[in-house]
PDB file of all heavy atoms in Angstrom:
ATOM      1  N   ALA A  18     -15.389  20.099  -8.964  1.00 94.00           N
ATOM      2  CA  ALA A  18     -15.731  19.970  -7.542  1.00 94.00           C
ATOM      3  C   ALA A  18     -17.026  19.168  -7.365  1.00 94.00           C
ATOM      4  O   ALA A  18     -17.128  18.299  -6.485  1.00 94.00           O
ATOM      5  CB  ALA A  18     -15.832  21.327  -6.887  1.00 94.00           C
ATOM      6  N   TYR A  31     -18.309  15.555 -20.325  1.00 95.00           N
ATOM      7  CA  TYR A  31     -17.216  14.839 -20.984  1.00 95.00           C
ATOM      8  C   TYR A  31     -17.057  15.277 -22.434  1.00 95.00           C
ATOM      9  O   TYR A  31     -15.968  15.659 -22.869  1.00 95.00           O
ATOM     10  CB  TYR A  31     -17.425  13.330 -20.915  1.00 95.00           C
ATOM     11  CG  TYR A  31     -16.173  12.512 -21.159  1.00 95.00           C
ATOM     12  CD1 TYR A  31     -15.432  12.042 -20.073  1.00 95.00           C
ATOM     13  CD2 TYR A  31     -15.709  12.258 -22.454  1.00 95.00           C
ATOM     14  CE1 TYR A  31     -14.278  11.293 -20.286  1.00 95.00           C
ATOM     15  CE2 TYR A  31     -14.559  11.531 -22.654  1.00 95.00           C
ATOM     16  CZ  TYR A  31     -13.857  11.050 -21.578  1.00 95.00           C
ATOM     17  OH  TYR A  31     -12.688  10.332 -21.785  1.00 95.00           O
ATOM     18  N   ARG A  37     -13.776  21.178 -26.299  1.00 94.00           N
ATOM     19  CA  ARG A  37     -13.037  22.393 -25.946  1.00 94.00           C
ATOM     20  C   ARG A  37     -11.523  22.190 -26.078  1.00 94.00           C
ATOM     21  O   ARG A  37     -10.803  23.035 -26.599  1.00 94.00           O
ATOM     22  CB  ARG A  37     -13.398  22.824 -24.517  1.00 94.00           C
ATOM     23  CG  ARG A  37     -12.668  24.057 -24.024  1.00 94.00           C
ATOM     24  CD  ARG A  37     -12.978  25.266 -24.873  1.00 94.00           C
ATOM     25  NE  ARG A  37     -14.380  25.637 -24.817  1.00 94.00           N
ATOM     26  CZ  ARG A  37     -14.886  26.699 -25.432  1.00 94.00           C
ATOM     27  NH1 ARG A  37     -14.126  27.500 -26.154  1.00 94.00           N
ATOM     28  NH2 ARG A  37     -16.186  26.979 -25.373  1.00 94.00           N
ATOM     29  N   PRO A  57      -1.307  28.015 -25.029  1.00 86.00           N
ATOM     30  CA  PRO A  57      -2.702  28.473 -24.980  1.00 86.00           C
ATOM     31  C   PRO A  57      -3.397  28.075 -23.652  1.00 86.00           C
ATOM     32  O   PRO A  57      -3.543  26.907 -23.348  1.00 86.00           O
ATOM     33  CB  PRO A  57      -3.389  27.760 -26.130  1.00 86.00           C
ATOM     34  CG  PRO A  57      -2.275  27.281 -27.014  1.00 86.00           C
ATOM     35  CD  PRO A  57      -1.111  27.036 -26.123  1.00 86.00           C
ATOM     36  N   PRO A  75     -14.319   6.688 -22.934  1.00 92.00           N
ATOM     37  CA  PRO A  75     -15.624   6.761 -23.618  1.00 92.00           C
ATOM     38  C   PRO A  75     -15.835   5.548 -24.521  1.00 92.00           C
ATOM     39  O   PRO A  75     -14.895   5.051 -25.157  1.00 92.00           O
ATOM     40  CB  PRO A  75     -15.512   8.045 -24.424  1.00 92.00           C
ATOM     41  CG  PRO A  75     -14.048   8.231 -24.677  1.00 92.00           C
ATOM     42  CD  PRO A  75     -13.362   7.719 -23.421  1.00 92.00           C
ATOM     43  N   THR A  90      -1.190  14.980 -30.160  1.00 92.00           N
ATOM     44  CA  THR A  90      -0.645  16.263 -30.623  1.00 92.00           C
ATOM     45  C   THR A  90       0.061  17.025 -29.505  1.00 92.00           C
ATOM     46  O   THR A  90       1.119  17.596 -29.701  1.00 92.00           O
ATOM     47  CB  THR A  90      -1.769  17.122 -31.223  1.00 92.00           C
ATOM     48  OG1 THR A  90      -2.368  16.419 -32.331  1.00 92.00           O
ATOM     49  CG2 THR A  90      -1.226  18.457 -31.728  1.00 92.00           C
ATOM     50  N   ASP A 123      -5.755   4.134 -21.968  1.00 91.00           N
ATOM     51  CA  ASP A 123      -5.211   2.836 -22.413  1.00 91.00           C
ATOM     52  C   ASP A 123      -3.717   2.784 -22.186  1.00 91.00           C
ATOM     53  O   ASP A 123      -2.938   3.300 -23.001  1.00 91.00           O
ATOM     54  CB  ASP A 123      -5.533   2.623 -23.896  1.00 91.00           C
ATOM     55  CG  ASP A 123      -5.047   1.257 -24.417  1.00 91.00           C
ATOM     56  OD1 ASP A 123      -4.563   0.451 -23.579  1.00 91.00           O
ATOM     57  OD2 ASP A 123      -5.133   1.008 -25.623  1.00 91.00           O
ATOM     58  N   GLU A 163       0.170  -3.659 -18.239  1.00 81.00           N
ATOM     59  CA  GLU A 163       0.476  -5.082 -18.242  1.00 81.00           C
ATOM     60  C   GLU A 163       1.921  -5.305 -18.688  1.00 81.00           C
ATOM     61  O   GLU A 163       2.538  -6.292 -18.291  1.00 81.00           O
ATOM     62  CB  GLU A 163      -0.484  -5.828 -19.190  1.00 81.00           C
ATOM     63  CG  GLU A 163      -1.946  -5.788 -18.717  1.00 81.00           C
ATOM     64  CD  GLU A 163      -2.848  -6.546 -19.656  1.00 81.00           C
ATOM     65  OE1 GLU A 163      -2.311  -7.164 -20.614  1.00 81.00           O
ATOM     66  OE2 GLU A 163      -4.074  -6.548 -19.432  1.00 81.00           O
ATOM     67  N   GLN A 172      15.688   1.547 -16.589  1.00 93.00           N
ATOM     68  CA  GLN A 172      15.921   1.032 -15.256  1.00 93.00           C
ATOM     69  C   GLN A 172      17.197   1.610 -14.624  1.00 93.00           C
ATOM     70  O   GLN A 172      17.193   1.966 -13.446  1.00 93.00           O
ATOM     71  CB  GLN A 172      16.029  -0.498 -15.316  1.00 93.00           C
ATOM     72  CG  GLN A 172      16.249  -1.154 -13.972  1.00 93.00           C
ATOM     73  CD  GLN A 172      16.123  -2.669 -14.033  1.00 93.00           C
ATOM     74  OE1 GLN A 172      15.076  -3.198 -14.419  1.00 93.00           O
ATOM     75  NE2 GLN A 172      17.211  -3.380 -13.712  1.00 93.00           N
ATOM     76  N   PRO A 200       9.986 -10.888 -12.026  1.00 90.00           N
ATOM     77  CA  PRO A 200      10.998 -11.939 -11.948  1.00 90.00           C
ATOM     78  C   PRO A 200      12.272 -11.677 -12.763  1.00 90.00           C
ATOM     79  O   PRO A 200      13.344 -12.145 -12.393  1.00 90.00           O
ATOM     80  CB  PRO A 200      10.232 -13.184 -12.497  1.00 90.00           C
ATOM     81  CG  PRO A 200       8.823 -12.893 -12.164  1.00 90.00           C
ATOM     82  CD  PRO A 200       8.653 -11.437 -12.376  1.00 90.00           C
ATOM     83  N   TYR A 219      17.370   8.233   7.144  1.00 82.00           N
ATOM     84  CA  TYR A 219      16.766   7.508   8.263  1.00 82.00           C
ATOM     85  C   TYR A 219      15.274   7.342   8.064  1.00 82.00           C
ATOM     86  O   TYR A 219      14.730   6.267   8.319  1.00 82.00           O
ATOM     87  CB  TYR A 219      17.039   8.262   9.583  1.00 82.00           C
ATOM     88  CG  TYR A 219      16.432   7.581  10.783  1.00 82.00           C
ATOM     89  CD1 TYR A 219      17.030   6.454  11.361  1.00 82.00           C
ATOM     90  CD2 TYR A 219      15.225   8.051  11.323  1.00 82.00           C
ATOM     91  CE1 TYR A 219      16.467   5.842  12.456  1.00 82.00           C
ATOM     92  CE2 TYR A 219      14.650   7.414  12.424  1.00 82.00           C
ATOM     93  CZ  TYR A 219      15.268   6.304  12.977  1.00 82.00           C
ATOM     94  OH  TYR A 219      14.723   5.689  14.056  1.00 82.00           O
TER      95      TYR A 219
END
Side-chain angles (χ1 to χ4, degrees):
Y31 198 98
R37 178 61 63 177
T90 300
D123 182 5
E163 295 181 5
Q172 181 171 301
Y219 179 78

